[in-house]
C-alpha cells in the first residue's frame, strides 16, 4: 500500500523527516499531535468541507477543452478548474485546513511564506475570515515582481515582511519564516504553503489538497466512466500536484509532474529540481534540491515566481525514485506559448505556473489516440501575471 | 559528578569552560587562525569552528552575514576541516569542534566526512539541524572514530531532555532561549531551572549559548552552568575590526580584538 507514507518518522521511503534545530522539535510534535486528533475527528472534517463548499466555492468544475483537443488532434483534454477556487488558485484549500487547525490549537497568530504571493493571499484571506493575525514573509525581489498581490495581502489586513537575505525570493522568505517561528512558536502557527518542510507538514498539506484529486476522480468517472490515461500538474514545491496525484497513486493513470526549466536545463537558470538536483536537506526535509558540489543551496530561476524554488516536497522525491510519477521540465518560452494557446482557444487565462503543465500535456496529446484522455490540473488563474505577460506579449497583442 | 574524559582526553576541565565560535574564513582563513590563537590566549577551552552555509536556519543576521563573507571568499566544509592542521601548526592546542549544517555533510557523504575529520585531527562535531531522532547513524560513526558528537537541548525539549542529556558527548549545548543565534539572552528563573534539570542528567559539562553577549551575561551563565558559548558577539567584535584588517592594520585589529575578549570573559 502506497498510502502508509509517511511512516512514524515522517519518511516517504528515503525522504522527509525532521531536519530542524532542536528548538523546533517541541512545536512540531505539538502540531503532529493536534493534527492527528483533528484528522480523527469527524467534526473537523465536516467544518473543513463546509468552508470549502460555502466559502471557497467547491467543488471546482471539470471542463472538457474541446477546441484544444480538436486542435491537437489526439487525446481528449479535461481541465480541473482550481482557477475558479476563491482567491484564484488551489492554495486556499490548504490555508483553510491549516487555519482551522490553528484555531483548534488556540493559536491566534499565523505566519506564512510566499513567493508569487498566492499562498500569502490565501493566508491573509483565511486570517481575515477566521479573525487571526497574519504576518507574511516575502522576498524583496518577489515583492517587486508581485506588487498587486502585496497590496491584496495588505488590504486583507496582513503584515507583509520584506526579506532581503539571499536573493530575496521564496527560499529566503521560508528561511526567515522558520527563524521567526523558532523564536515565537509558543503562540504562533506556521502555515506552510506547500508539501515541503519538516514532518508533519508534507503530509498535512497533501491531505488538505487531496480534495483536488478526490473531486477530479468522481467528476471524471461521471463524464467518461473511466479514469484518465494521463494526469498532468506543475511542480514547484508540489502541493497542487500532490493534491491531484495522491488519490490516483494506486490507479493505472500515468502521472506527470512538470518542473520549470527556465531558460533551459543546460543553463544555470532553471528550477528543475528533480531533473537536475541531488538529494539533500532543505527547510527541514530530506529531498531533492539544487545545490553546488560543496552542498550549498543554489538559486533557482523561472519566469513563474511560484515554481522558483530550489527544493521539492519529499513525497515527490519518493515518487520520482520509485518511478510512480514521471517528471518532465518545460522552459519559460514553452509555458508562455501554451498559455497563449489555452487563452485563445478556450477563453481561460491560466497562471504561468499552470502553463508549464499545459505545455507538457499539449506536447504529448497529439501523439495519443482519440479515445485516450488527459486530465490537467489548472492550478490557478493568470490575473496575477498580467504585468509579466504584458512585458512579453504587448507588442503582439 | 562528571566522570568522563572528553575530546580524546584533551579537555581535562569540567567547569568554567569558555567555548568561542568562529566562522571559518571570515574574513579570510589566515585571519581565522589569528583570531583562534587570540581566543586561546584569552582562555578558550574548546573552539567551535563554524562552516559557512547558504541557508543557516538556526542563525540570526550576524552569523548569516559572516557566512556570506566566508562563502564569497571561497570557504567550504572540506576547506574548513583542512584549516584545523593549519591552526595546530600555528600553536592551537585546544580541541576543535566542527560546526556545520547537515546538507554539506550529506553532499560529501558520511564516510568521507568522518575520514576527513579523522585525518585532520578534529575532536568534535556539531550539526544544528540534525536532532537526536535523525542522528543515530552519525552518532554511531562519531563514536567509532572517537570524535565527540555534540548534542543540543532546548527549554522546550521537555520529555526529550533526559534522553538527549544522558546520551551527550563532549559537552552538552544548552540553548538558553527560544530563537536564533545573536538574539537577546533572557536568563529567567525558568531558564535557570532548565539548566539545573539538564545538569542532573548530563554526564558531560553543560554549556550555555545563544545570545550571550555581555560580561554580565557571561557571569550569570558561569554561575549556573559548566561553560559559556559565545558566537554572534565574537563575530560582531570581528566585524568591528574589518576596516582595520582591510587597510592592512592586522596587528592593531588583533590587539583590539583580544582586549574586547578579555573584557567580555573577565
Amino acid at each position: 500500500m502506497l498510502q502508509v507514507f509517511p511512516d512514524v518518522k515522517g519518511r516517504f521511503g528515503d525522504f522527509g523527516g525532521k531536519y530542524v534545530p532542536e528548538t523546533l522539535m517541541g512545536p512540531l510534535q505539538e502540531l503532529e499531535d493536534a493534527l492527528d486528533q483533528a484528522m480523527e475527528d469527524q467534526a473537523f472534517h465536516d467544518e473543513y468541507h463546509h468552508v470549502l463548499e460555502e466559502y471557497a466555492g467547491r467543488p471546482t468544475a471539470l471542463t472538457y477543452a474541446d477546441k484544444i483537443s480538436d486542435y491537437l488532434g489526439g487525446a481528449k483534454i479535461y481541465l480541473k478548474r482550481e482557477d475558479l477556487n476563491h482567491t484564484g488558485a488551489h492554495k486556499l484549500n490548504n490555508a483553510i485546513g491549516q487555519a482551522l487547525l490553528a484555531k483548534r490549537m488556540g493559536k491566534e497568530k499565523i505566519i506564512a511564506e510566499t513567493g508569487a504571493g498566492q499562498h500569502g493571499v490565501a493566508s491573509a484571506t483565511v486570517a481575515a475570515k477566521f479573525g487571526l493575525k497574519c504576518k507574511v514573509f516575502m522576498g524583496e525581489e518577489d515583492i517587486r515582481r508581485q506588487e498587486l498581490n502585496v497590496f491584496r495581502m495588505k488590504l486583507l489586513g496582513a503584515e507583509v515582511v520584506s526579506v532581503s537575505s539571499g536573493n530575496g525570493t521564496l527560499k529566503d522568505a521560508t528561511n526567515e519564516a522558520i527563524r521567526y517561528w523558532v523564536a515565537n512558536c509558543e503562540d504562533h502557527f506556521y502555515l506552510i504553503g506547500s508539501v515541503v518542510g519538516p514532518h508533519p507538514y508534507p503530509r498535512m498539506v497533501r491531505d488538505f489538497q487531496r480534495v483536488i484529486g478526490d473531486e477530479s476522480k468522481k467528476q471524471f468517472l461521471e463524464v467518461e466512466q473511466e479514469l484518465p490515461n494521463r494526469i498532468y500538474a506543475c511542480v514547484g514545491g508540489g502541493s497542487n500536484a500532490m493534491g491531484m496525484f495522491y488519490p490516483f497513486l494506486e490507479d493505472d493513470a500515468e502521472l506527470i509532474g512538470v518542473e520549470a526549466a527556465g531558460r533551459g536545463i543546460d543553463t544555470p537558470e532553471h528550477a528543475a529540481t528533480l531533473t537536475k538536483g541531488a538529494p539533500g536537506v532543505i527547510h527541514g526535509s530530506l529531498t531533492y534540491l539544487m545545490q553546488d558540489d560543496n552542498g550549498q543551496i543554489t538559486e533557482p530561476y523561472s519566469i513563474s515566481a511560484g515554481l522558483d524554488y530550489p527544493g521539492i516536497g519529499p513525497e515527490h522525491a519518493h515518487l520520482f525514485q520509485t518511478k510512480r510519477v514521471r517528471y518532465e521540465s518545460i522552459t519559460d518560452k514553452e509555458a508562455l506559448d501554451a498559455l497563449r494557446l489555452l487563452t485563445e482557444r478556450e477563453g481561460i487565462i491560466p497562471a504561468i505556473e499552470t502553463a508549464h503543465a499545459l505545455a507538457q500535456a499539449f506536447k504529448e496529446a497529439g501523439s495519443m489516440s482519440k479515445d485516450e484522455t488527459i486530465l490537467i490540473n489548472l492550478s490557478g488563474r493568470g490575473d496575477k501575471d498580467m504585468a509579466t505577460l504584458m512585458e512579453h506579449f504587448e507588442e503582439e497583442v | 559528578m562528571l566522570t568522563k574524559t572528553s575530546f580524546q582526553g584533551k579537555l581535562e576541565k569540567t567547569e568554567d569552560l569558555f567555548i568561542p565560535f568562529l566562522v571559518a574564513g571570515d574574513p579570510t582563513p589566515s585571519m581565522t587562525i589569528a583570531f583562534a590563537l587570540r581566543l586561546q590566549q584569552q582562555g578558550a577551552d574548546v573552539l567551535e569552528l563554524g562552516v559557512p552555509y547558504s541557508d543557516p536556519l538556526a542563525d540570526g543576521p550576524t552569523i548569516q552575514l559572516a557566512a556570506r563573507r566566508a562563502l564569497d571568499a571561497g570557504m567550504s566544509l572540506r576547506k574548513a576541516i583542512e584549516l584545523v592542521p593549519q591552526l595546530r601548526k600555528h600553536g592551537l592546542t585546544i580541541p576543535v569542534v566542527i560546526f556545520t549544517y547537515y546538507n554539506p555533510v550529506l553532499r560529501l557523504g558520511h564516510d568521507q566526512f568522518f575520514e576527513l575529520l579523522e585525518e585532520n585531527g578534529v575532536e568534535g562535531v556539531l550539526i544544528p539541524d540534525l536532532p537526536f531522532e535523525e542522528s543515530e547513524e552519525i552518532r554511531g560513526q562519531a563514536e567509532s572514530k572517537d570524535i565527540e558528537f555534540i548534542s543540543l537541548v532546548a527549554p522546550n525539549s521537555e520529555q526529550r531532555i533526559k534522553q538527549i542529556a544522558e546520551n551527550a558527548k563532549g559537552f552538552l549545548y544548552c540553548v538558553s532561549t527560544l530563537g536564533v543565534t545573536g538574539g537577546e539572552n533572557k536568563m529567567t528563573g525558568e531558564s535557570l531551572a532548565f539548566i539545573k534539570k539538564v545538569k542532573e542528567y548530563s554526564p558531560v559539562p553543560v554549556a550555555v549559548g545563544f545570545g550571550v553577549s555581555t560580561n554580565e551575561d557571561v557571569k550569570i551563565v558561569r554561575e549556573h552552568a559548566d561553560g559559556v558559548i559565545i558566537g554572534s558577539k565574537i563575530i560582531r567584535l570581528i566585524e568591528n575590526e574589518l576596516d582595520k584588517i582591510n587597510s592592512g592594520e592586522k596587528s592593531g585589529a588583533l590587539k583590539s580584538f583580544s582586549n574586547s575578549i578579555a573584557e567580555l570573559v573577565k
Side-chain angles (χ1 to χ4, degrees):
Chain A
M1 283 278 287
L2 283 157
Q3 263 83 348
V4 298
F5 291 119
D7 65 15
V8 286
K9 287 186 78 185
R11 296 272 174 179
F12 303 90
D14 292 341
F15 302 99
K18 291 188 212 179
Y19 296 87
V20 293
E22 178 59 31
T23 39
L24 279 184
M25 292 301 280
L28 287 172
Q29 191 58 53
E30 183 195 357
L31 174 64
E32 191 178 344
D33 293 345
L35 177 68
D36 285 346
Q37 278 177 12
M39 286 308 200
E40 278 166 28
D41 181 356
Q42 190 55 42
F44 181 81
H45 286 275
D46 291 347
E47 190 179 11
Y48 166 67
H49 285 286
H50 177 70
V51 177
L52 287 181
E53 206 175 301
E54 65 99 41
Y55 179 70
R58 300 201 73 91
T60 57
L62 180 74
T63 302
Y64 173 46
D66 56 337
K67 302 290 187 305
I68 289 270
S69 303
D70 288 348
Y71 173 75
L72 296 169
K76 289 171 80 174
I77 297 174
Y78 286 84
L79 307 170
K80 177 59 175 169
R81 301 291 305 281
E82 291 302 296
D83 59 321
L84 298 178
N85 206 20
H86 180 41
T87 74
H90 70 288
K91 290 287 184 189
L92 192 73
N93 306 332
N94 167 52
I96 288 172
Q98 289 197 51
L100 289 172
L101 185 62
K103 269 183 82 94
R104 199 181 152 99
M105 292 172 75
K107 312 245 176 191
E108 301 286 325
K109 297 172 186 166
I110 60 170
I111 53 172
E113 80 297 332
T114 199
Q118 290 306 97
H119 175 59
V121 168
S123 300
T125 299
V126 294
K129 161 92 175 151
F130 296 113
L132 304 167
K133 273 191 82 169
C134 177
K135 212 187 264 279
V136 180
F137 292 82
M138 188 168 185
E140 61 181 9
E141 172 61 17
D142 287 337
I143 287 181
R144 194 190 59 74
R145 288 197 280 191
Q146 303 288 338
E147 217 182 333
L148 206 59
N149 269 343
V150 173
F151 182 71
R152 284 169 85 190
M153 287 182 257
K154 288 182 179 165
L155 198 59
L156 287 159
E159 182 193 343
V160 178
V161 182
S162 174
V163 175
S164 58
S165 58
N167 276 21
T169 59
L170 179 57
K171 161 177 91 88
D172 311 298
T174 308
N175 286 338
E176 219 44 51
I178 293 175
R179 289 183 186 119
Y180 186 86
W181 192 39
V182 168
N184 298 280
C185 49
E186 276 166 22
D187 58 347
H188 282 66
F189 184 99
Y190 180 21
L191 208 161
I192 291 187
S194 195
V195 286
V196 301
H199 178 66
Y201 279 102
R203 167 193 138 201
M204 172 167 68
V205 177
R206 175 196 74 195
D207 289 347
F208 288 140
Q209 289 291 4
R210 65 170 292 170
V211 64
I212 304 170
D214 286 334
E215 283 177 12
S216 297
K217 201 168 189 175
K218 191 161 162 266
Q219 291 167 320
F220 213 92
L221 285 172
E222 273 166 26
V223 290
E224 285 286 334
Q225 285 80 49
E226 56 184 11
L227 294 179
N229 295 96
R230 295 185 196 176
I231 305 176
Y232 298 82
C234 64
V235 183
S239 70
N240 90 76
M242 217 46 246
M244 173 58 99
F245 294 163
Y246 187 62
F248 291 95
L249 286 180
E250 295 190 358
D251 299 316
D252 292 332
E254 189 185 1
L255 307 174
I256 300 102
V258 187
E259 299 189 305
R263 298 202 166 94
I265 52 169
D266 298 323
T267 74
E269 292 178 288
H270 62 78
T273 311
L274 289 174
T275 312
K276 300 285 280 189
V281 165
I282 182 170
H283 297 140
S285 184
L286 180 61
T287 182
Y288 270 69
L289 62 131
M290 292 169 53
Q291 53 184 316
D292 67 17
D293 293 341
N294 293 317
Q296 305 287 342
I297 300 176
T298 55
E299 292 289 343
Y301 162 80
S302 165
I303 188 174
S304 96
L307 302 183
D308 199 354
Y309 181 68
I312 188 166
E315 193 163 12
H316 282 291
H318 172 65
L319 294 170
F320 172 70
Q321 196 182 55
T322 56
K323 298 191 164 68
R324 174 63 188 94
V325 177
R326 166 160 65 91
Y327 292 87
E328 304 283 355
S329 62
I330 283 291
T331 64
D332 290 355
K333 187 177 177 311
E334 292 171 316
L336 289 173
D337 290 346
L339 183 147
R340 274 301 277 282
L341 195 61
L342 189 78
T343 303
E344 290 169 2
R345 301 267 163 177
E346 298 288 346
I348 299 169
I349 306 179
I352 301 178
E353 288 79 2
T354 308
H356 288 71
L358 295 167
Q360 186 63 37
F362 294 170
K363 259 191 195 178
E364 299 179 15
S367 56
M368 291 169 70
S369 74
K370 289 195 177 186
D371 53 13
E372 286 185 294
T373 54
I374 277 177
L375 170 62
I376 306 168
N377 193 17
L378 205 108
S379 55
R381 69 172 90 121
D383 302 32
K384 70 179 175 60
D385 294 318
M386 284 308 134
T388 311
L389 296 178
M390 277 169 76
E391 276 175 37
H392 287 269
F393 294 146
E394 204 164 26
E395 285 163 26
E396 305 165 41
V397 177
Chain B
M1 185 64 194
L2 305 169
T3 50
K4 292 196 181 170
T5 54
S6 304
F7 298 99
Q8 304 169 2
K10 287 173 194 154
L11 184 67
E12 280 163 27
K13 272 169 81 182
T14 55
E15 55 189 18
D16 198 20
L17 301 175
F18 168 34
I19 307 173
F21 170 90
L22 291 175
V23 173
D26 171 36
T28 62
S30 67
M31 285 311 296
T32 300
I33 295 171
F35 286 128
L37 293 173
R38 294 295 168 135
L39 288 165
Q40 180 172 264
Q41 270 173 20
Q42 295 302 329
D45 298 291
V46 178
L47 174 68
E48 260 188 44
L49 188 61
V51 177
Y53 185 51
S54 56
D55 294 75
L57 269 191
D59 289 306
T62 303
I63 294 178
Q64 288 174 41
L65 278 174
R68 195 68 263 161
R69 287 193 293 270
L71 286 173
D72 288 345
M75 187 47 63
S76 66
L77 174 59
R78 178 184 289 274
K79 286 181 185 168
I81 297 171
E82 288 170 352
L83 195 59
V84 175
Q86 296 297 314
L87 286 161
R88 303 278 182 235
K89 210 173 87 186
H90 288 85
L92 193 86
T93 54
I94 58 174
V96 176
V97 172
I98 288 285
F99 176 112
T100 176
Y101 284 86
Y102 188 44
N103 197 53
V105 174
L106 210 50
R107 187 71 175 149
L108 199 59
H110 285 187
D111 291 348
Q112 200 174 359
F113 175 61
F114 278 102
E115 265 168 43
L116 267 179
L117 293 177
E118 197 176 32
E119 272 169 33
N120 290 282
V122 175
E123 289 89 355
V125 59
L126 191 162
I127 306 179
D129 54 350
L130 203 59
F132 191 80
E133 288 79 352
E134 301 286 2
S135 61
E136 200 180 331
E137 182 188 334
I138 227 167
R139 276 185 279 128
Q141 280 180 295
E143 193 152 6
S144 72
K145 299 267 184 193
D146 200 17
I147 290 169
E148 310 285 10
F149 183 86
I150 311 296
S151 294
L152 289 97
V153 66
N156 59 355
S157 299
E158 295 179 9
Q159 63 269 42
R160 298 168 60 256
I161 291 176
K162 185 169 185 275
Q163 183 186 35
I164 296 168
E166 284 180 347
N167 288 286
K169 309 280 180 198
F171 63 84
L172 181 55
Y173 193 135
C174 203
V175 177
S176 56
T177 50
L178 297 182
V180 292
T181 56
E184 263 178 56
N185 184 279
K186 292 163 254 164
M187 276 296 202
T188 59
E190 234 172 283
S191 34
L192 297 180
F194 160 64
I195 294 168
K196 199 173 161 209
K197 185 173 174 189
V198 173
K199 284 185 71 169
E200 278 170 26
Y201 296 124
S202 177
V204 295
V206 172
V208 170
F210 275 49
V212 180
S213 63
T214 64
N215 178 245
E216 207 186 356
D217 295 339
V218 171
K219 282 180 173 153
I220 297 173
V221 170
R222 268 190 190 138
E223 204 180 306
H224 296 95
D226 306 314
V228 59
I229 303 165
I230 312 179
S232 296
K233 176 65 184 180
I234 291 177
I235 309 292
R236 283 197 288 270
L237 292 175
I238 290 175
E239 272 175 356
N240 293 343
E241 306 304 331
L242 286 179
D243 284 345
K244 273 189 215 156
I245 295 168
N246 292 334
S247 58
E249 296 169 56
K250 234 173 97 175
S251 61
L254 289 170
K255 196 168 173 196
S256 127
F257 176 77
S258 283
N259 290 340
S260 306
I261 296 294
E263 205 47 39
L264 184 62
V265 298
K266 70 182 178 193

